[in-house]
Amino acid sequence: MKLLFVCLGNICRSPMAETIFKQKLHDRHLSAEVDSAGLENYHEGDQADSRMRAHAERRGYHITHISRPIIRDDFYHFDLIFGMDAQNMRALKSRAPQGTEYKLRLITNYCEQFPLADSVPDPYYGGESGFELVIDLLEDACEGIITRELL
Ligand code: 4NP
């Protein structure tokens, strides 16, 4: 199984999702190919946002991903491609080559502890609590993905 997490800049939400998912795989002795990418290339080559990395470290996660933009080949290579909000999903749908749209998923559809969540809100222009919410929602969604797609 090959999974790709996508957000706008690939410096906050999707590298956090990638890191949480890899940690969960490691904890359960499962394996899968996991990566993340951005819909925009403004941050290409950058480490994850320092605030996201700090919140991650406090919760036991170490983000090492370097931002990269999504490319056409990703839509063919990966089995499942997860967007963080409705805007991401619109962009993914418009860029997906014909016949690859079936791989696209809104990540919050996998949440179980937050059943009413319909997006992982962009924390970039908000406060500290936004980064904690990103981690809470992504831990929940990643658990759901493992249960529903990998087990
Ligand atoms: P992300 O957050 O999509 O979760 O990585 C953002 C990072 C940067 C920007 C927007 C969102 N930006 O506008 O630069």
Side-chain angles (χ1 to χ4, degrees), residues 13 19 24-25 41 51 59 72 125 132:
R13 294 167 292 174
T19 303
K24 287 186 180 289
L25 289 177
N41 62 0
R51 298 164 296 173
R59 297 207 20 193
R72 184 177 170 84
Y125 295 106
E132 290 297 313

Side-chain angles (χ1 to χ4, degrees), residues 7-15 42-43 88 122-125:
C7 62
L8 196 57
N10 193 217
I11 54 168
C12 295
R13 294 167 292 174
S14 62
Y42 328 122
H43 293 283
N88 292 170
D122 183 348
Y124 195 70
Y125 295 106

Side-chain angles (χ1 to χ4, degrees), residues 48-131:
D49 184 280
S50 58
R51 298 164 296 173
M52 189 76 259
R53 283 188 283 125
H55 283 270
E57 291 288 338
R58 274 191 248 144
R59 297 207 20 193
Y61 301 106
H62 186 62
I63 306 176
T64 58
H65 183 78
I66 300 297
S67 177
R68 72 165 182 95
I70 192 167
I71 58 169
R72 184 177 170 84
D73 202 47
D74 290 323
F75 291 94
Y76 296 109
H77 180 74
F78 289 94
D79 300 306
L80 291 172
I81 300 172
F82 300 94
M84 300 292 146
D85 57 27
Q87 182 195 351
N88 292 170
M89 296 311 293
R90 280 193 296 277
L92 284 168
K93 279 175 191 148
S94 78
R95 289 171 62 171
Q98 199 172 15
T100 64
E101 304 89 341
Y102 75 94
K103 300 178 175 185
L104 307 179
R105 300 281 188 281
L106 177 62
I107 195 166
T108 46
N109 288 349
Y110 291 86
C111 284
E112 291 172 2
Q113 306 301 314
F114 294 91
L116 301 181
D118 62 1
S119 73
V120 180
D122 183 348
Y124 195 70
Y125 295 106
E128 301 283 308
S129 63
F131 291 90

